[in-house]
């Protein structure tokens, strides 16, 4: 049922939002409450990818994916939080983006990822595009509770 | 309204009528002494302001609006307070100084009331009315001040946006907008308006939107660009997007955005060449190709 690099989870697995935040101690969080925050977080992601040694094109990919996810949290989720998690592991160097919000959630995550699907006035390419720009991509959403999107990109692949 | 308040009000109304000039003078004095003015307001401006406000207060109090609503609902008084606050917001006076200036009217009023021979009870009742009036004026002033500052910020933002989105005429019938920075909804609106106006003014046939200086092109930026192109076409002009760097080109493809209906070029020079072709013009020299 799951696409490569994507899993859609439904239903409340635990008491509150239904998932656990998995970020390392190096992760930093950024609020996404205003349009100006979108700009701030793009800069933060740009700086983080540059420091981790991503190529210019890959920096652009990660920043663009982050931009899509935080805009979704802002527009559809009523605001949320971005966690930037630098990964320095035996398998390589990468970056994990985690975007959470406590908005209305996504009814059907698999449908939402399909290009052209939108409940707003956008192009409906944000989620699908972000997924293609990153190496792994997971959407956890509980209708009525909120949404968490986790995406990773490595430097050397 | 109880009787002591009614009589306190009529005492105060009387004081205001008889001592209007003295109260205004004293108020200006208090403000000058405290150094609460700042922002280049001269003494005669303060004096004018004070005269207007004290006169308005006098007429407001003489009317029949209840004390707690006089400031908000007496037209002349309301306007005198908001004018004063707006003027200070524009002059760059600090919010504290603005509030204190309004609140120091209390001192001026009470000093003049003290010259009437009132018993303790009477002066207390008058002081209470003065407090309520001036506190209401202080609250209104603060609110207006904040609105004034916000208005200034909005205006400056807009000016900045317009400055950073110049439309330039590159050639006969050919315009270009070099975009630099973040292209959010508000900014793309300004770009669109300026561009459409310029097309009409210059009777342009081609508009080049150069995005070399736009760091991130996500779906929202792409959508803004597509809407701008659509609007340009509705005016009967052609549109070319230039400055698409390799990284941006790849991300646009990965986002699955179809720009195939739009003419895109790598550089502004390429776009100009295309535009010359579209308008049937020839460059006086062959553009260089590496
Ligand atoms: N954080 C979220 N909370 C609630 N719903 C969401 C969230 N993120 C996405 N969605 C839903 O998924 C749909 C598709 O999202 P996607 O980002 O692909 O497109 P879009 O935001 O509508 O347009 P755009 O192309 O401008 O991004 C949205 O229209 C919305 O219904
Ligand atoms: Mg989106």
């Amino acid at each position: 049922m799951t696409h490569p690099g994507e899993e859609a989870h439904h239903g409340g697995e635990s008491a509150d939002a239904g998932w656990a935040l998995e970020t390392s101690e190096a992760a930093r969080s950024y609020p996404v409450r205003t349009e100006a925050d979108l700009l701030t977080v793009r800069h933060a992601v740009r700086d983080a990818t540059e420091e981790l040694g991503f190529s210019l094109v890959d920096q652009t990919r990660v920043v663009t994916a982050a931009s899509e996810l935080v805009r979704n949290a802002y527009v559809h989720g009523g605001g949320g939080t971005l966690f930037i998690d630098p990964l320095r592991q035996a398998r390589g160097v990468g970056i994990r983006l985690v975007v959470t919000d406590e908005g209305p959630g996504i009814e059907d995550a698999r449908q939402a990822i399909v290009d052209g699907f939108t409940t707003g006035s956008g192009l409906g390419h944000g989620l699908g595009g972000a997924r293609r720009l990153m190496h792994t991509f997971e959407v956890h959403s509980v209708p009525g509770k909120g949404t968490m999107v986790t995406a990773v990109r490595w430097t050397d692949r | 309204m109880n009787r002591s308040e009614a009589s306190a009000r009529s005492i105060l109304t009387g004081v205001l009528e008889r001592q209007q000039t003295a109260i205004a003078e004293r108020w200006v004095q208090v403000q000058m002494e405290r150094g609460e003015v700042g922002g280049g307001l001269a003494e005669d401006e303060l004096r004018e302001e004070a005269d207007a406000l004290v006169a308005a207060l006098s007429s407001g109090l003489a009317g029949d609006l209840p004390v707690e609503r006089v400031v908000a609902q007496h037209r002349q008084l309301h306007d005198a307070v908001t004018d004063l606050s707006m003027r200070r917001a524009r002059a760059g006076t600090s919010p504290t100084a603005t509030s204190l200036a309004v609140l120091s009217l209390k001192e001026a009023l009470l000093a003049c009331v003290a010259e009437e021979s009132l018993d303790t009870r009477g002066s207390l009742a008058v002081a209470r009315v003065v407090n309520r009036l001036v506190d209401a004026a202080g609250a209104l002033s603060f609110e207006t001040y904040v609105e004034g500052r916000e208005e200034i910020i909005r205006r400056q933002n807009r000016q900045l946006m317009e400055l950073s989105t110049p439309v330039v005429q590159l050639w006969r019938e050919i315009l270009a907008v070099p975009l630099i920075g973040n292209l959010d909804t508000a900014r793309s609106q300004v770009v669109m308006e300026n561009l459409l106006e310029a097309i009409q003014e210059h009777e342009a046939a081609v508009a080049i939107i150069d995005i070399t200086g736009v760091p991130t092109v996500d779906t929202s930026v792409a959508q803004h660009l597509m809407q701008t192109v659509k609007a340009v076409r509705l005016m009967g002009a052609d549109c070319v997007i230039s400055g698409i760097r390799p990284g941006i080109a790849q991300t646009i493809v990965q986002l699955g955005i179809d720009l195939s209906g739009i003419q895109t070029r790598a550089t502004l020079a390429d776009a100009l060449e295309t535009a010359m072709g579209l308008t049937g013009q020839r460059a006086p020299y062959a553009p260089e190709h590496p």
Side-chain angles (χ1 to χ4, degrees), chain A residues 104-146:
Chain A
I106 304 174
E107 281 284 326
D108 181 348
R110 230 179 315 275
Q111 180 191 36
I113 287 177
V114 174
D115 281 347
F117 178 86
T118 178
T119 57
S121 55
L123 297 174
H125 281 243
L127 282 175
R131 179 164 67 133
R132 287 185 292 271
L133 290 165
M134 301 295 281
H135 288 136
T136 74
F137 192 81
E138 293 170 34
V139 181
H140 297 248
S141 192
V142 182
K145 295 276 186 189

Side-chain angles (χ1 to χ4, degrees), chain B residues 197-256:
Chain B
E197 263 170 37
I199 288 174
Q200 186 172 38
E201 184 187 332
H202 296 278
E203 295 176 8
V206 185
I208 300 172
I209 301 175
D210 185 76
I211 61 166
T212 309
V214 178
T216 318
V217 178
D218 61 6
T219 55
S220 146
V221 171
Q223 194 180 19
H224 291 322
L225 288 173
M226 284 163 27
Q227 281 163 349
T228 307
V229 171
K230 212 165 163 186
V232 168
R233 286 183 180 160
L234 277 175
M235 293 201 54
D238 277 313
C239 203
V240 182
I241 295 180
S242 69
I244 302 191
R245 287 154 287 149
I248 300 283
Q250 290 184 51
T251 15
I252 289 178
V253 170
Q254 276 181 305
L255 285 173

Side-chain angles (χ1 to χ4, degrees), chain B:
Chain B
M1 181 160 61
N2 58 41
R3 200 181 300 146
S4 84
E5 184 181 311
S7 77
R9 179 176 180 160
S10 78
I11 292 170
L12 191 59
T13 311
V15 172
L16 272 161
E17 264 160 21
R18 285 190 302 278
Q19 304 198 45
Q20 228 180 71
T21 324
I23 293 168
E25 218 159 70
R26 204 158 201 150
W27 185 25
V28 172
Q29 234 40 62
V30 177
Q31 291 184 63
M32 303 281 290
E33 277 163 25
R34 300 262 182 84
E36 277 153 14
V37 187
L41 284 175
E43 185 171 348
D44 52 339
E45 281 179 283
L46 282 182
R47 187 56 213 266
E48 228 173 85
E49 206 178 70
D51 280 337
L53 203 142
V54 174
L57 187 59
S58 172
S59 106
L61 218 51
D64 26 271
L65 281 164
V67 171
E68 60 277 8
R69 295 217 301 266
V70 176
V71 172
Q73 291 180 0
H74 186 269
R75 191 54 198 249
Q76 194 189 342
L77 181 54
H78 180 276
D79 290 354
V81 174
T82 53
D83 282 354
L84 177 151
S85 318
M86 211 38 121
R87 189 168 314 126
R88 280 155 208 255
R90 293 199 182 110
T93 312
S94 78
T96 317
T98 306
S99 291
L100 287 176
V102 174
L103 295 178
S104 64
L105 173 59
K106 259 185 212 179
E107 208 165 301
L109 278 172
L110 290 175
C112 291
V113 169
E115 282 162 20
E116 309 277 309
S117 31
L118 292 173
D119 60 7
T120 324
R121 203 123 156 248
S123 2
L124 212 69
V126 172
R128 211 175 284 138
V129 174
V130 167
N131 262 330
R132 283 163 65 187
L133 277 173
V134 179
D135 287 349
L140 175 62
S141 157
F142 191 70
E143 203 176 292
T144 315
Y145 179 92
V146 172
E147 271 165 29
R149 299 301 298 175
E150 277 168 2
E151 177 203 299
I152 290 168
I153 292 168
R154 273 196 299 275
R155 199 177 52 228
Q156 286 174 343
N157 253 338
R158 184 153 176 104
Q159 283 167 349
L160 217 82
M161 271 200 246
E162 272 167 17
L163 273 181
S164 55
T165 51
V167 180
V168 290
Q169 180 161 28
L170 283 188
W171 215 268
R172 208 164 56 81
E173 293 183 286
I174 302 172
L175 300 178
V177 215
L179 294 179
I180 295 166
N182 174 36
L183 194 66
D184 60 15
T185 312
R187 181 125 180 273
S188 78
Q189 200 61 40
V190 174
V191 170
M192 175 134 49
E193 279 167 25
N194 288 353
L195 185 57
L196 298 183
E197 263 170 37
I199 288 174
Q200 186 172 38
E201 184 187 332
H202 296 278
E203 295 176 8
V206 185
I208 300 172
I209 301 175
D210 185 76
I211 61 166
T212 309
V214 178
T216 318
V217 178
D218 61 6
T219 55
S220 146
V221 171
Q223 194 180 19
H224 291 322
L225 288 173
M226 284 163 27
Q227 281 163 349
T228 307
V229 171
K230 212 165 163 186
V232 168
R233 286 183 180 160
L234 277 175
M235 293 201 54
D238 277 313
C239 203
V240 182
I241 295 180
S242 69
I244 302 191
R245 287 154 287 149
I248 300 283
Q250 290 184 51
T251 15
I252 289 178
V253 170
Q254 276 181 305
L255 285 173
I257 294 166
D258 182 15
L259 292 184
S260 62
I262 298 175
Q263 307 207 51
T264 55
R265 294 292 179 269
T267 68
L268 189 55
D270 291 341
L272 178 57
E273 197 188 335
T274 303
M276 302 284 276
L278 285 169
T279 53
Q281 303 180 76
R282 285 186 38 191
Y285 56 88
E288 277 171 50
H289 272 290

